[in-house]
Amino acid sequence: MKDTETRDKLVLAAERLFAERGIDNVSLREINRAAGQRNVAALRYHFGSREALFEAIFERRMAGINRRRVEMLAALEAEGLDDPIREVVEAMVLPLATLLDPNADDGHYIR
C-alpha cells in the first residue's frame, strides 16, 4: 500500500471515529485498526502526533471548501454587484453547509 493511500485511510478512519464517538474517546490504536493498519506505529509514522492528525483532517476538508469559496467570491466580483452582502455570506457559508447532508461522503467532517 502506498504511503498516500495509508495516510488517506488513517485520516478518513479518524474523521469517522471522532464524529461518532468524540475526539477524546478514540485512541490512536483504534484509528489504526479502523484504517486496516496492523502496524500500531502507522499513525505516528505518518503524522507524528494526534495534533498533526487533526491538522491533516482539517487541511483535507478545508482545501476544497476554501477553493469553492474563492470561486464563488470571484464570480461575485465579476458580476459587480452594488450590495453583495447576502451573496458574500452565502459564499462563506454554503461550501461548508453542503457537508451537512447526511448522505454526503464527507459528512463525518462537519460533525
Side-chain angles (χ1 to χ4, degrees), residues 53-81:
L53 174 61
F54 294 142
E55 288 175 22
I57 292 169
F58 183 76
E59 288 172 10
R60 177 187 180 99
R61 297 302 177 188
M62 291 309 295
I65 290 166
N66 286 334
R67 191 172 31 257
R68 181 67 184 128
R69 285 175 174 160
V70 169
E71 290 169 1
M72 292 174 78
L73 290 171
L76 284 175
E77 189 174 8
E79 289 177 28
L81 299 176

Side-chain angles (χ1 to χ4, degrees), residues 12 25 29 32 35 48-49 52 57 59 64 79 83 97-98 102 111:
L12 292 173
N25 298 319
R29 185 171 293 226
N32 273 323
S49 68
I57 292 169
E59 288 172 10
E79 289 177 28
D83 190 21
T98 59
R111 284 196 277 168

Side-chain angles (χ1 to χ4, degrees), residues 4-43:
T4 55
E5 201 175 314
T6 300
R7 198 174 151 84
D8 286 345
K9 285 184 177 189
L10 288 164
V11 166
L12 292 173
E15 185 178 79
R16 181 180 54 79
L17 289 171
F18 290 154
E20 291 172 353
R21 299 191 359 229
I23 291 171
D24 294 329
N25 298 319
V26 178
S27 71
L28 299 182
R29 185 171 293 226
E30 289 174 298
I31 296 167
N32 273 323
R33 202 172 322 128
Q37 297 303 306
R38 284 181 251 160
N39 179 354
V40 295
L43 204 140

Side-chain angles (χ1 to χ4, degrees), residues 94-108:
L94 288 179
L96 185 61
T98 59
L99 298 179
L100 291 170
D101 179 0
N103 299 318
D105 290 338
D106 44 10
H108 294 294

